[in-house]
Amino acid sequence: MREPSLETSEIERYARHIVLPEVGGPGQQKLKAARVLVIGAGGLGSPVALYLAAAGVGRIGMADDDRVSLSNLQRQVIHATADIGRSKLDSAEERITAVNPHVAFTGHEVRIDAENGPAIVAGYDLVVDGSDNFSTRYLMADLCEAAGIPLVTAAVQRFSGSLTVLAPHLVDGDGRANPRYRDLFPEAPPPGVVPSCAEAGILGTTTGVLGTLAANEAIKLVCGIGEPLIGKLLMVDLLALRFETIRYRRPKSG
């Protein structure tokens, strides 16, 4: 399928992308043609959606069934004080459209589950998971593998976070299938072992850093540039300002 052409105003808007040899006009056209689903309009989803909108992703979908509360505003930068009580999707759509009117927005005001998830995911080329619980992370990994689309998945806690890219429907340079989420985390921790943000707290910039990195991986995947975090887990410690990457693989019998 031929990539959509850029309007004159878009060429000026994305000029700093277009002069990058790695992106250029072809990469910007790929971004315009892309359909990216963001899971969660919260701390991680906020910077993801804002940067994807600014980058010129043609259609951004967001799935969230929550409303904006005062305690969200310390980290969920897509919402403002005047949005308290509003649907997060309504608030996010308004902000995304203000950032870039060339971006189409689709809201899914549901909590994604095994029943509604397949139909939602099928409408996108790429998913970025910014959810705050293991059950949704495992579910999104399964849904994206079944749909044959890549998944960028991020997690945060207090002053730290992690990020990886899943593409188990593809093979690596050795012809070996890429790993699944369960190759990295075979089982979810027992309930209560990992406290929620409400219980343990979280530095607002933690979600900003990890969300921005997740958006970066999404842009790389869409444009086909760089080395995505497939088979690699990036771990970020913001108190020590330390970044570490570990590799993981699918078992040969997997």
Side-chain angles (χ1 to χ4, degrees):
M1 181 181 296
R2 187 175 181 179
E3 306 293 356
S5 59
L6 300 174
E7 300 175 10
T8 301
S9 62
E10 290 179 291
I11 293 174
E12 182 177 356
R13 177 184 288 268
Y14 309 126
R16 302 303 185 272
H17 274 178
I18 294 172
V19 298
L20 290 170
E22 295 83 355
V23 179
Q28 195 62 53
Q29 288 177 294
K30 290 178 182 179
L31 287 167
K32 184 173 181 177
R35 302 169 300 168
V36 180
L37 174 64
V38 181
I39 306 300
L44 288 167
S46 290
V48 168
L50 289 174
Y51 271 109
L52 293 184
V57 168
R59 177 170 294 279
I60 295 175
M62 294 193 83
D64 199 304
D65 64 348
D66 201 5
R67 293 185 172 273
V68 181
S69 65
L70 181 59
S71 63
N72 298 152
L73 303 183
Q74 158 257 13
R75 66 198 178 283
Q76 299 182 16
V77 294
I78 205 167
H79 312 298
T81 303
D83 296 316
I84 293 172
R86 292 181 72 190
S87 158
K88 286 187 177 181
L89 292 185
D90 289 346
S91 172
E93 179 177 13
E94 186 175 286
R95 185 72 181 278
I96 286 170
T97 302
V99 168
N100 191 345
H102 297 284
V103 176
F105 179 89
T106 301
H108 305 279
E109 199 159 6
V110 296
R111 183 173 292 274
I112 287 190
D113 56 33
E115 292 186 7
N116 61 33
I120 294 174
V121 169
Y124 296 90
D125 312 305
L126 170 68
V127 176
V128 182
D129 183 8
S131 61
D132 61 359
N133 62 88
F134 277 96
S135 60
T136 301
R137 292 174 196 145
Y138 282 104
L139 173 65
M140 295 315 304
D142 292 341
L143 290 174
C144 289
E145 180 176 4
I149 62 175
L151 170 67
V152 181
T153 181
V156 292
Q157 186 180 22
R158 289 170 46 82
F159 305 98
S160 63
S162 62
L163 176 69
T164 192
V165 174
L166 300 169
H169 57 291
L170 301 176
V171 297
D172 62 20
D174 298 325
R176 184 172 179 171
N178 290 323
R180 298 184 170 102
Y181 191 67
R182 286 175 177 79
D183 296 322
L184 181 59
F185 300 111
E187 295 181 354
V193 171
V194 180
S196 67
C197 290
E199 296 169 325
I202 186 165
L203 188 69
T205 52
T206 303
T207 57
V209 171
L210 270 297
T212 300
L213 290 171
N216 184 66
E217 288 301 298
I219 291 170
K220 286 163 54 182
L221 289 165
V222 171
C223 294
I225 61 175
E227 186 178 336
L229 286 169
I230 297 174
K232 294 179 288 186
L233 178 71
L234 174 67
M235 298 179 292
V236 181
D237 179 344
L238 292 177
L239 281 184
L241 202 56
R242 182 171 60 243
F243 292 72
E244 297 183 33
T245 303
I246 62 169
R247 293 183 178 271
Y248 62 99
R249 303 185 72 179
R250 184 187 295 202
K252 290 185 178 180
S253 60

PDB file of all heavy atoms in Angstrom, residues 237-253:
ATOM      1  N   ASP A 237      16.807   3.201  36.753  1.00  0.00           N
ATOM      2  CA  ASP A 237      16.795   3.616  38.157  1.00  0.00           C
ATOM      3  C   ASP A 237      17.054   5.118  38.173  1.00  0.00           C
ATOM      4  O   ASP A 237      18.167   5.564  37.923  1.00  0.00           O
ATOM      5  CB  ASP A 237      17.881   2.859  38.926  1.00  0.00           C
ATOM      6  CG  ASP A 237      17.947   3.259  40.409  1.00  0.00           C
ATOM      7  OD1 ASP A 237      17.388   4.316  40.778  1.00  0.00           O
ATOM      8  OD2 ASP A 237      18.580   2.526  41.185  1.00  0.00           O
ATOM      9  N   LEU A 238      16.029   5.895  38.462  1.00  0.00           N
ATOM     10  CA  LEU A 238      16.168   7.344  38.373  1.00  0.00           C
ATOM     11  C   LEU A 238      16.840   7.964  39.595  1.00  0.00           C
ATOM     12  O   LEU A 238      17.355   9.079  39.500  1.00  0.00           O
ATOM     13  CB  LEU A 238      14.801   7.978  38.133  1.00  0.00           C
ATOM     14  CG  LEU A 238      14.176   7.668  36.763  1.00  0.00           C
ATOM     15  CD1 LEU A 238      12.804   8.278  36.644  1.00  0.00           C
ATOM     16  CD2 LEU A 238      15.075   8.152  35.635  1.00  0.00           C
ATOM     17  N   LEU A 239      16.855   7.283  40.710  1.00  0.00           N
ATOM     18  CA  LEU A 239      17.568   7.823  41.875  1.00  0.00           C
ATOM     19  C   LEU A 239      19.071   7.763  41.645  1.00  0.00           C
ATOM     20  O   LEU A 239      19.803   8.691  41.998  1.00  0.00           O
ATOM     21  CB  LEU A 239      17.187   7.050  43.133  1.00  0.00           C
ATOM     22  CG  LEU A 239      15.845   7.407  43.771  1.00  0.00           C
ATOM     23  CD1 LEU A 239      15.653   6.624  45.065  1.00  0.00           C
ATOM     24  CD2 LEU A 239      15.728   8.897  44.045  1.00  0.00           C
ATOM     25  N   ALA A 240      19.545   6.668  41.064  1.00  0.00           N
ATOM     26  CA  ALA A 240      20.971   6.529  40.753  1.00  0.00           C
ATOM     27  C   ALA A 240      21.275   7.009  39.340  1.00  0.00           C
ATOM     28  O   ALA A 240      22.444   7.078  38.958  1.00  0.00           O
ATOM     29  CB  ALA A 240      21.403   5.069  40.899  1.00  0.00           C
ATOM     30  N   LEU A 241      20.235   7.317  38.553  1.00  0.00           N
ATOM     31  CA  LEU A 241      20.336   7.643  37.134  1.00  0.00           C
ATOM     32  C   LEU A 241      21.167   6.580  36.413  1.00  0.00           C
ATOM     33  O   LEU A 241      22.162   6.862  35.762  1.00  0.00           O
ATOM     34  CB  LEU A 241      20.925   9.035  36.911  1.00  0.00           C
ATOM     35  CG  LEU A 241      20.590   9.653  35.541  1.00  0.00           C
ATOM     36  CD1 LEU A 241      19.104   9.700  35.313  1.00  0.00           C
ATOM     37  CD2 LEU A 241      21.195  11.030  35.400  1.00  0.00           C
ATOM     38  N   ARG A 242      20.699   5.344  36.579  1.00  0.00           N
ATOM     39  CA  ARG A 242      21.391   4.201  35.997  1.00  0.00           C
ATOM     40  C   ARG A 242      20.466   3.478  35.010  1.00  0.00           C
ATOM     41  O   ARG A 242      19.293   3.229  35.303  1.00  0.00           O
ATOM     42  CB  ARG A 242      21.842   3.230  37.089  1.00  0.00           C
ATOM     43  CG  ARG A 242      22.632   2.030  36.553  1.00  0.00           C
ATOM     44  CD  ARG A 242      23.246   1.220  37.678  1.00  0.00           C
ATOM     45  NE  ARG A 242      22.245   0.683  38.593  1.00  0.00           N
ATOM     46  CZ  ARG A 242      22.147   1.003  39.877  1.00  0.00           C
ATOM     47  NH1 ARG A 242      22.992   1.898  40.401  1.00  0.00           N
ATOM     48  NH2 ARG A 242      21.225   0.473  40.641  1.00  0.00           N
ATOM     49  N   PHE A 243      21.000   3.178  33.832  1.00  0.00           N
ATOM     50  CA  PHE A 243      20.271   2.452  32.801  1.00  0.00           C
ATOM     51  C   PHE A 243      21.007   1.134  32.551  1.00  0.00           C
ATOM     52  O   PHE A 243      22.205   1.142  32.245  1.00  0.00           O
ATOM     53  CB  PHE A 243      20.210   3.253  31.502  1.00  0.00           C
ATOM     54  CG  PHE A 243      19.364   4.491  31.582  1.00  0.00           C
ATOM     55  CD1 PHE A 243      19.783   5.604  32.298  1.00  0.00           C
ATOM     56  CD2 PHE A 243      18.138   4.553  30.936  1.00  0.00           C
ATOM     57  CE1 PHE A 243      19.010   6.746  32.373  1.00  0.00           C
ATOM     58  CE2 PHE A 243      17.354   5.693  30.998  1.00  0.00           C
ATOM     59  CZ  PHE A 243      17.787   6.791  31.722  1.00  0.00           C
ATOM     60  N   GLU A 244      20.304   0.029  32.654  1.00  0.00           N
ATOM     61  CA  GLU A 244      20.890  -1.280  32.391  1.00  0.00           C
ATOM     62  C   GLU A 244      19.992  -2.049  31.430  1.00  0.00           C
ATOM     63  O   GLU A 244      18.766  -1.905  31.462  1.00  0.00           O
ATOM     64  CB  GLU A 244      21.050  -2.079  33.687  1.00  0.00           C
ATOM     65  CG  GLU A 244      22.008  -1.458  34.691  1.00  0.00           C
ATOM     66  CD  GLU A 244      22.173  -2.325  35.926  1.00  0.00           C
ATOM     67  OE1 GLU A 244      22.102  -3.564  35.791  1.00  0.00           O
ATOM     68  OE2 GLU A 244      22.358  -1.764  37.014  1.00  0.00           O
ATOM     69  N   THR A 245      20.605  -2.877  30.592  1.00  0.00           N
ATOM     70  CA  THR A 245      19.852  -3.691  29.647  1.00  0.00           C
ATOM     71  C   THR A 245      20.252  -5.154  29.816  1.00  0.00           C
ATOM     72  O   THR A 245      21.446  -5.468  29.833  1.00  0.00           O
ATOM     73  CB  THR A 245      20.123  -3.258  28.196  1.00  0.00           C
ATOM     74  OG1 THR A 245      19.810  -1.872  28.045  1.00  0.00           O
ATOM     75  CG2 THR A 245      19.261  -4.059  27.229  1.00  0.00           C
ATOM     76  N   ILE A 246      19.258  -6.016  29.944  1.00  0.00           N
ATOM     77  CA  ILE A 246      19.525  -7.454  29.995  1.00  0.00           C
ATOM     78  C   ILE A 246      18.853  -8.099  28.779  1.00  0.00           C
ATOM     79  O   ILE A 246      17.840  -7.608  28.279  1.00  0.00           O
ATOM     80  CB  ILE A 246      19.006  -8.103  31.296  1.00  0.00           C
ATOM     81  CG1 ILE A 246      17.480  -7.967  31.404  1.00  0.00           C
ATOM     82  CG2 ILE A 246      19.679  -7.494  32.509  1.00  0.00           C
ATOM     83  CD1 ILE A 246      16.879  -8.804  32.528  1.00  0.00           C
ATOM     84  N   ARG A 247      19.445  -9.165  28.308  1.00  0.00           N
ATOM     85  CA  ARG A 247      18.885  -9.893  27.170  1.00  0.00           C
ATOM     86  C   ARG A 247      18.120 -11.116  27.657  1.00  0.00           C
ATOM     87  O   ARG A 247      18.476 -11.721  28.671  1.00  0.00           O
ATOM     88  CB  ARG A 247      19.999 -10.318  26.206  1.00  0.00           C
ATOM     89  CG  ARG A 247      20.673  -9.134  25.505  1.00  0.00           C
ATOM     90  CD  ARG A 247      21.720  -9.605  24.510  1.00  0.00           C
ATOM     91  NE  ARG A 247      22.320  -8.468  23.803  1.00  0.00           N
ATOM     92  CZ  ARG A 247      21.842  -7.951  22.678  1.00  0.00           C
ATOM     93  NH1 ARG A 247      20.757  -8.497  22.113  1.00  0.00           N
ATOM     94  NH2 ARG A 247      22.429  -6.923  22.110  1.00  0.00           N
ATOM     95  N   TYR A 248      17.094 -11.478  26.933  1.00  0.00           N
ATOM     96  CA  TYR A 248      16.337 -12.682  27.235  1.00  0.00           C
ATOM     97  C   TYR A 248      15.901 -13.324  25.923  1.00  0.00           C
ATOM     98  O   TYR A 248      15.783 -12.653  24.897  1.00  0.00           O
ATOM     99  CB  TYR A 248      15.135 -12.395  28.146  1.00  0.00           C
ATOM    100  CG  TYR A 248      14.087 -11.460  27.557  1.00  0.00           C
ATOM    101  CD1 TYR A 248      12.921 -11.961  26.984  1.00  0.00           C
ATOM    102  CD2 TYR A 248      14.254 -10.073  27.590  1.00  0.00           C
ATOM    103  CE1 TYR A 248      11.950 -11.115  26.464  1.00  0.00           C
ATOM    104  CE2 TYR A 248      13.301  -9.224  27.066  1.00  0.00           C
ATOM    105  CZ  TYR A 248      12.148  -9.748  26.500  1.00  0.00           C
ATOM    106  OH  TYR A 248      11.201  -8.903  25.974  1.00  0.00           O
ATOM    107  N   ARG A 249      15.714 -14.630  25.939  1.00  0.00           N
ATOM    108  CA  ARG A 249      15.398 -15.369  24.732  1.00  0.00           C
ATOM    109  C   ARG A 249      14.257 -16.345  24.966  1.00  0.00           C
ATOM    110  O   ARG A 249      13.936 -16.693  26.108  1.00  0.00           O
ATOM    111  CB  ARG A 249      16.615 -16.142  24.210  1.00  0.00           C
ATOM    112  CG  ARG A 249      17.833 -15.277  23.930  1.00  0.00           C
ATOM    113  CD  ARG A 249      18.963 -16.076  23.309  1.00  0.00           C
ATOM    114  NE  ARG A 249      18.633 -16.434  21.931  1.00  0.00           N
ATOM    115  CZ  ARG A 249      19.458 -17.120  21.137  1.00  0.00           C
ATOM    116  NH1 ARG A 249      20.630 -17.535  21.594  1.00  0.00           N
ATOM    117  NH2 ARG A 249      19.102 -17.395  19.886  1.00  0.00           N
ATOM    118  N   ARG A 250      13.673 -16.809  23.891  1.00  0.00           N
ATOM    119  CA  ARG A 250      12.661 -17.851  23.992  1.00  0.00           C
ATOM    120  C   ARG A 250      13.381 -19.204  24.107  1.00  0.00           C
ATOM    121  O   ARG A 250      14.338 -19.449  23.372  1.00  0.00           O
ATOM    122  CB  ARG A 250      11.766 -17.863  22.761  1.00  0.00           C
ATOM    123  CG  ARG A 250      10.624 -18.883  22.881  1.00  0.00           C
ATOM    124  CD  ARG A 250       9.831 -19.034  21.608  1.00  0.00           C
ATOM    125  NE  ARG A 250       9.106 -17.828  21.238  1.00  0.00           N
ATOM    126  CZ  ARG A 250       8.034 -17.838  20.433  1.00  0.00           C
ATOM    127  NH1 ARG A 250       7.585 -18.962  19.928  1.00  0.00           N
ATOM    128  NH2 ARG A 250       7.444 -16.699  20.137  1.00  0.00           N
ATOM    129  N   PRO A 251      12.946 -20.061  24.996  1.00  0.00           N
ATOM    130  CA  PRO A 251      13.567 -21.397  25.076  1.00  0.00           C
ATOM    131  C   PRO A 251      13.480 -22.114  23.743  1.00  0.00           C
ATOM    132  O   PRO A 251      12.523 -21.926  22.977  1.00  0.00           O
ATOM    133  CB  PRO A 251      12.749 -22.103  26.157  1.00  0.00           C
ATOM    134  CG  PRO A 251      12.146 -21.017  26.968  1.00  0.00           C
ATOM    135  CD  PRO A 251      11.900 -19.886  26.013  1.00  0.00           C
ATOM    136  N   LYS A 252      14.452 -22.927  23.445  1.00  0.00           N
ATOM    137  CA  LYS A 252      14.471 -23.611  22.149  1.00  0.00           C
ATOM    138  C   LYS A 252      13.253 -24.488  21.935  1.00  0.00           C
ATOM    139  O   LYS A 252      12.839 -24.718  20.798  1.00  0.00           O
ATOM    140  CB  LYS A 252      15.748 -24.444  22.033  1.00  0.00           C
ATOM    141  CG  LYS A 252      17.009 -23.611  21.884  1.00  0.00           C
ATOM    142  CD  LYS A 252      18.218 -24.482  21.657  1.00  0.00           C
ATOM    143  CE  LYS A 252      19.468 -23.598  21.449  1.00  0.00           C
ATOM    144  NZ  LYS A 252      20.680 -24.414  21.223  1.00  0.00           N
ATOM    145  N   SER A 253      12.669 -24.952  23.015  1.00  0.00           N
ATOM    146  CA  SER A 253      11.478 -25.788  22.900  1.00  0.00           C
ATOM    147  C   SER A 253      10.202 -24.983  22.819  1.00  0.00           C
ATOM    148  O   SER A 253       9.125 -25.527  22.648  1.00  0.00           O
ATOM    149  CB  SER A 253      11.385 -26.733  24.088  1.00  0.00           C
ATOM    150  OG  SER A 253      11.311 -25.998  25.309  1.00  0.00           O
TER     151      SER A 253
END
